[in-house]
């Protein structure tokens, strides 16, 4: 399948609603997601910066894991209109909602797939290696053994020097650093209080309760239930930062590190091996950008 669609997606199955109504529900999704990532929009800006900086081309191919209704893909294509985003999610309702909201967005393709299945990557139909694999608050619900498999499959999708970028609320090892772990949690709580106030509005469970009762989504809800998602909500099976770092190293990534962090919220990045990767910065610099001292 071509990596750049030549026409908008077909009308979505499972959602009988207009685009305006679908966008309304996607907007509500975005707001409730800020319960987990209060700086979500800023984080997405940084994530797209990483894709843009690392891709080295105006038309990167990006795979979004656990995409929900396509929030990352829509934002990335506003910045990089020549990009292609393959948005992957197992939930029929979220995929149908994303197609209804963003079906006319050139370069965005939804690929229904369950990351817990071994064959999810093979069914994406990529016509070249991806420049980036991205995700946000979606991989913490995978069992650690499955997480390693997902990261290994993601590494196989990437070109040499490609990046994996994951926005997550990831815990520090509380036994090794109990004070820092407490401060991580406190910083996140304070940021949520500043941005959201006392009345946080619609949360995760509220949104799901209401969207599942929306008559226009009845067919998608029925499909969701038939696939065993009825009543299922994600659990924190892999909440620790070291679990993710270890899984990424086991998956064969050459570099693994945090590019952005406030408290427990991190932008974790991993890079595949590349034979022509620079071994040092292109130019020496100091923290204040003054010329580096002469030897």
């Amino acid at each position: 399948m071509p990596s750049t669609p030549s026409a908008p997606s077909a009308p979505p199955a499972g959602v009988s609603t207009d685009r305006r109504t679908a966008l309304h529900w996607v907007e509500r999704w975005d707001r409730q997601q800020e319960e987990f990532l209060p700086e979500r929009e800023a984080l997405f800006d940084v994530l797209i910066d990483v894709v843009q900086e690392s891709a080295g081309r105006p038309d990167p191919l990006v795979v979004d894991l656990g995409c929900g209704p396509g929030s990352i893909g829509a934002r990335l294509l506003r910045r990089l209109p020549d990009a292609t985003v393959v948005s992957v999610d197992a939930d029929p309702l979220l995929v149908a909602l994303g197609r209804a909201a963003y079906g006319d967005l050139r370069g965005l393709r939804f690929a229904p797939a369950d990351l817990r299945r071994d064959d999810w990557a093979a069914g994406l139909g990529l016509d070249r290696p991806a420049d980036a694999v991205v995700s946000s608050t979606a991989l913490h619900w995978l069992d650690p053994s499955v997480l390693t498999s997902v990261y290994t499959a993601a590494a196989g999708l990437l070109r040499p020097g490609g990046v994996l970028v994951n926005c997550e609320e990831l815990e520090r090892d509380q036994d090794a650093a109990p004070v820092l772990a407490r401060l991580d949690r406190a910083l996140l709580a304070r940021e949520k209080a500043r941005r959201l106030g006392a009345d946080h509005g619609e949360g995760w469970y509220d949104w799901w309760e209401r969207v599942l009762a929306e008559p226009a989504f009845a067919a998608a809800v029925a499909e969701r239930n038939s696939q065993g998602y009825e009543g299922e909500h994600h659990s924190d099976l892999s909440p620790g930062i070291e679990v993710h770092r270890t899984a990424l190293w086991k998956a064969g990534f050459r570099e693994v590190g945090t590019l952005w962090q406030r408290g427990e919220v991190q932008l974790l990045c991993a890079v595949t091996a590349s034979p022509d990767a620079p071994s040092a910065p292109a130019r020496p610099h100091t923290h204040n950008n003054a010329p580096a001292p002469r030897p």
Side-chain angles (χ1 to χ4, degrees), residues 2 91 102 105 148 161 166 179:
D91 195 306
Y102 300 125
L105 189 58
T148 300
N166 184 19
V179 175

Side-chain angles (χ1 to χ4, degrees), residues 146-197:
V146 177
L147 181 67
T148 300
S149 297
V150 168
Y151 281 149
T152 300
L157 294 175
L158 287 164
R159 63 169 174 79
V163 297
L164 183 147
V165 190
N166 184 19
C167 302
E168 283 279 11
E169 186 178 330
L170 298 172
E171 299 174 358
R172 195 187 300 264
D173 185 337
Q174 297 187 31
D175 293 330
V179 175
L180 293 178
R182 181 183 64 80
L183 289 173
D184 280 343
R185 180 62 57 87
L187 288 174
L188 180 56
R190 287 176 178 270
E191 186 61 27
K192 288 181 179 179
R194 273 193 292 268
R195 289 179 177 265
L196 304 176

Side-chain angles (χ1 to χ4, degrees), residues 138-142 144 147-148 151 164 166 168-171 237-251 253 256 268 270:
L139 302 183
H140 61 273
W141 58 270
L142 295 172
L147 181 67
T148 300
Y151 281 149
L164 183 147
N166 184 19
E168 283 279 11
E169 186 178 330
L170 298 172
E171 299 174 358
L237 299 178
S238 296
I241 179 63
E242 292 307 322
V243 172
H244 287 259
R245 285 179 176 151
T246 300
L248 288 164
W249 288 122
K250 287 182 177 179
F253 285 91
V256 178
L268 186 62

Side-chain angles (χ1 to χ4, degrees), residues 83-99:
T84 296
V85 181
V86 180
S87 297
V88 182
D89 206 287
D91 195 306
L93 189 149
L94 294 178
V95 170
L97 185 58
R99 285 172 170 165

Side-chain angles (χ1 to χ4, degrees), residues 40-78:
R40 185 171 181 261
E41 295 299 334
L43 267 169
F44 283 177
D45 282 341
V46 178
L47 182 151
I48 297 167
D49 284 343
V50 175
V51 172
Q52 190 170 17
E53 180 67 25
S54 63
R57 56 188 295 170
D59 60 342
L61 173 57
V62 181
V63 178
D64 180 11
L65 302 182
C67 66
S71 301
I72 289 177
R75 286 158 177 75
L76 192 146
L77 287 164
R78 289 175 199 153

